[in-house]
Amino acid sequence: MAASVGPCASIPADHMDLIRQVLDRVGDKWSMLVIAVLEGGPMRYTDVQRQIPGIYQRMLTHTLRQLTEDGLITCTAYAEVPPRVEYALAPLGGGLNEIVKQLIGWAADHHDEIRANRSRPGAATSSASRT
């Protein structure tokens, strides 16, 4: 059933499943960071990994594969010895890049305020009861 009001009202009901999947993918913290890092141009795997502190090899591989599958980034393998693979933003991912950078910037700008709110007495209890 389609929504009758709000931001989902103009979206056909049969599109909602894919839209939720896309939002889940691009809203993932690692996906957003990869998209932001690739703004500067093509990068090799290890360069991407160096620029994203805390990401494990397995998670980076998984994230790169999913972003490539969705057409947000490209993966180009060069026939060299040793083999060289570069990742870059695809036009579709480039359109998302500015939004991602704004969201990351917002999170950075409000870091202290959010941390303070989370450390308030009862903050963990009230947020757990909402889920």
Side-chain angles (χ1 to χ4, degrees):
M1 176 198 265
S4 57
V5 295
C8 297
S10 64
I11 302 170
D14 62 332
H15 292 191
M16 285 307 298
D17 186 48
L18 179 62
I19 289 170
R20 283 191 299 272
Q21 290 173 22
V22 169
L23 291 174
D24 187 44
R25 173 85 34 91
V26 300
D28 170 80
K29 65 182 173 184
W30 300 120
S31 295
M32 284 197 280
L33 292 172
V34 167
I35 289 167
V37 162
L38 290 176
E39 175 191 31
M43 297 178 77
R44 295 181 75 160
Y45 181 95
T46 53
D47 296 326
V48 174
Q49 189 175 32
R50 278 189 209 112
Q51 290 202 26
I52 304 176
I55 192 166
Y56 292 103
Q57 182 176 349
R58 181 175 177 183
M59 182 52 67
L60 179 57
T61 300
H62 178 71
T63 301
L64 290 168
R65 188 174 297 128
Q66 287 186 319
L67 292 173
T68 302
E69 180 181 296
D70 284 348
L72 298 172
I73 66 172
T74 60
C75 174
T76 305
Y78 296 92
E80 299 175 354
V81 178
R84 178 171 56 109
V85 176
E86 288 184 341
Y87 297 92
L89 282 178
L92 192 59
L96 184 60
N97 186 43
E98 193 58 39
I99 297 165
V100 166
K101 286 188 336 186
Q102 288 177 1
L103 187 55
I104 292 169
W106 179 88
D109 290 346
H110 296 283
H111 172 272
D112 294 341
E113 184 179 356
I114 293 168
R115 183 178 293 275
N117 287 334
R118 285 184 176 183
S119 66
R120 282 191 336 255
T125 306
S126 62
S127 65
S129 65
R130 284 185 239 140
T131 57

